Amino acid sequence: MNSEPTNPKSFKLKYNQPASSWDDALPIGNGRLGAMVFGGIVIDNLQLNEDSVWSTPPNSKLDRNNPSSSIQLNKIRDLLKNGRIQEAEALSCLSMGGIPENQQRYQSLGELKVRYNYPAYLLGGSSDVPIPIDRHSSLSGLRRAPVVPTPPDYKLELDLSLALASVSYTLSSVNGEHEVKYTREYFVSEVDQAVIMRITASKPGMISLEIQLYRDPSYIDEIQSTQIDNASASIKIIGSSRSLITTAKIVIENPDVNSSINIIGRTAVVKNATLLTISIGAATTFYNNDFETMERKLSDEMISLHNKFAEINGYFTVRNCHSESHGRLFSKSTLELWSSSTLNGNKGCLFDEISTSERLTRYCKSFNNENNLKETTGTETDDGAFLTSLLYNYGRYLLICCSRPGTQAANLQGIWNQHMNPPWGGRYTLDINTQMNYWPAEVTNLSECHHPLFDLLERMRGPGRLTAKKMYGVNSGFVAHNNSDLYGDCTPTDEWLPASFWPLGAGWLSTHLWEHFEFTLDTNFLREKAYPILAEAAQFFLEYLFPITLSDGSEILVTGPSSSVENTYELPNGAWGTLCLGPSLDSQILYELFSHVIDAYKILSLSQLQNNNHNFSEVPYVNTKEFITDIKSARDRLPSPAIGKHGQIMEWFEDHNEPEPGHRHISHLWMLYPGKRFLFGNNNISTEKTAALLSAAEKTLSRRLEHGGGHTGWSRAWIINFYARLRKPEECAKHIQLMITQSMYSNLFDKHPPFQIDGNFGLTSAIAEMLVQSTAVSFGNGVTNNLRDEFHVIICLLPAAPTCEKSLYGWWPEGKVTGLCVRGGFEVSITWAPPTNGQNHPRLLEVILISKNGMSCTVEYFKRSVNLKTKINETIDLTKEFQ
């Protein structure tokens, strides 16, 4: 086993040339502010974002609910019941679509543009020989740049553990007489709420450049460029109807008589500096009461930051405080995988100096062109293991950078977006994408990063109540459809039939509250935040669901109009349809939503948690046993999962043909993942039926894949999560390989295409799911009136990790993962090595369990298990039990 300290290279992205496009640039962020680092040699660009910069000023309250919806609802349902699908869809478009069409859009904050002016002799020229000009290199207002080959020592890196991007390179004269090394550092401080860039030169006075702060002119009210003194200047943009301010402050450190900053037009011109610091702050009226308050607060923050810079070693203090703040989260869990070459004493390409893009290219080229798959050996295995562990750590890094407590939830692009009108509006897409962003939050020990999603849910409650009443005539609870935005809009975003009128957005999103509770057992959170939202989301459906009589005379409750999101079915007459009644996805979500409400009520009713009252919500009805009885009754009348003619889980209430059997969405397997209905030891279906449904789930996956499924990055990530739950390590490895080779940009962003961040987070959660799984087998039966005695967890180690040498698609013979979280408030760290003495499973070299809440558990590994009664904050070494 490798006993060396954690190899920092597995926590770095590194490149030997600047980013040539946005999809090559490197992301940095602090949850609220984000930037993309390009690292250009002559023309550099920092593309900027702030999480509350959306298309409508924050004080806008627009009611988009269609007034005809509730009037036409029953007619639409009758048309669907009678198979008149096209009429139902036509009427739905007229009566249910939001007015006006489309919710608000997430927008770019702007860009910081820098043109470096090097002495001609450092670029291979002289005063007599002009440098060739690249006539395509101009950045709106900056002069065209000279053609400069990438220096051989150029490095562009992103350190995930420090949240620090850097650039370094050396420029030399032709005769070697002059040589200057330039370095830059970029980070976004959560402590100081600023984007910070520092430029240094190895020789005095060798930094001369021009700086502009840029935003699309259509969204600018005013630009103010101010020279503060000979060594500092600022540029300010006021935009979007005075709802935002962006400020860049440029300061020459340790200036001398030759160095200067001058404002010429809108450009800050720096000459002969040796050290230069640029800090960028931004504020919006979403976070502040008014423009004057916002302007004053931002000014105070920037003054405070520059006072820190003015102290001895001030820059390094600011940078280190930033990295410590980030590191407190990042260090909670890390993954390292070692591969076959390492086992033979040859670290090989695992530790070599090639760039991330070269490693990715080499890995992709090692597979045949026909299907991008082949058996892996040697270099391919090394690269696969390295990239897999890097992507796990990268996914956690990205979530920290785009979702911190007090910031906005991660949207389709996390926080990083270069457009004013991004793909799909850069919104919160609630039919999987927003939820997938947060799949790794609990299991990879980033529970704090989950809270912005809960804040979004809270913000959606008011608009969702209005939508429930105006669209459906439902006077209780709240509802959301397949999209939302910064302002919590819950109406259908448009009239796109495959998804717009799907009504389970809030229902699915609310299950994340229960997930957070299961992992933390925070009863204050359950009482104050989770139960009120869960109960209100469920309450809507008590009134919204309606009965259908089956052929045997029994009644079930179904949703409708709804859809199996984004998919299409074929009727016997050959017509296609999207709207339907009671798709499988809806019933599966509702079953778990209702179950969570029931379990939450039980737990909050335990005597030690009651505080002598049952006022868990401001809505009196949901605090009563009558409400829970009604929820149980509705749950029992939901359609059960069924098996169709192909042996698959049925996607619709009827066993329709599919025009696109390889569709990217696999919504009818929601109960497998992220649902928990089939987690081992945790289902309310008979063992015989469970086995049949699990077999049908596997058939559903294979059928999707046979017809080209998994062709988007996030869809492939979902497939890996499915196979992890099915305990299929070979399939997990296969689809990790496919995702890396087919769905990654060079900066390792997920390629939908275009970029969507959900695939990165889905892959991270899948890797975690391969390493550990857990289930709660008992919840609040009320026998002992003590939560600790009412809760038991089963923990399974390495349930789907490809640790066997026979794996065709890359294996993880040796590895170490720290800080994985499981239900019940446990943390697990595992170190493993290849099997010996004829074993068919890895040797566990170390198993450490930390119990935060003192709950009981069973830890399983292959055919061994250990039952434990734990104490609060107890650390338990289980290594001997599994050797």
Side-chain angles (χ1 to χ4, degrees), residues 745-761:
Y745 291 106
S746 64
N747 66 357
L748 300 187
F749 267 173
D750 166 56
K751 185 191 299 182
H752 178 283
F755 160 61
Q756 283 186 194
I757 204 166
D758 40 25
N760 288 99
F761 295 136

Side-chain angles (χ1 to χ4, degrees), residues 284-340:
T284 72
T285 50
F286 182 87
Y287 285 111
N288 302 276
N289 294 328
D290 52 51
F291 180 84
E292 287 72 22
T293 301
M294 170 180 71
E295 188 173 37
R296 185 169 55 253
K297 181 181 177 184
L298 179 59
S299 176
D300 290 345
E301 289 175 351
M302 298 298 286
I303 290 170
S304 175
L305 174 59
H306 281 272
N307 287 339
K308 292 180 182 179
F309 284 151
E311 297 174 2
I312 297 174
N313 295 321
Y315 168 80
F316 298 103
T317 300
V318 169
R319 187 191 68 183
N320 293 343
C321 286
H322 150 73
S323 291
E324 287 170 8
S325 172
H326 172 85
R328 280 192 291 272
L329 292 173
F330 184 82
S331 63
K332 285 185 172 186
S333 176
T334 58
L335 172 65
E336 291 180 274
L337 298 173
W338 295 279
S339 55
S340 55

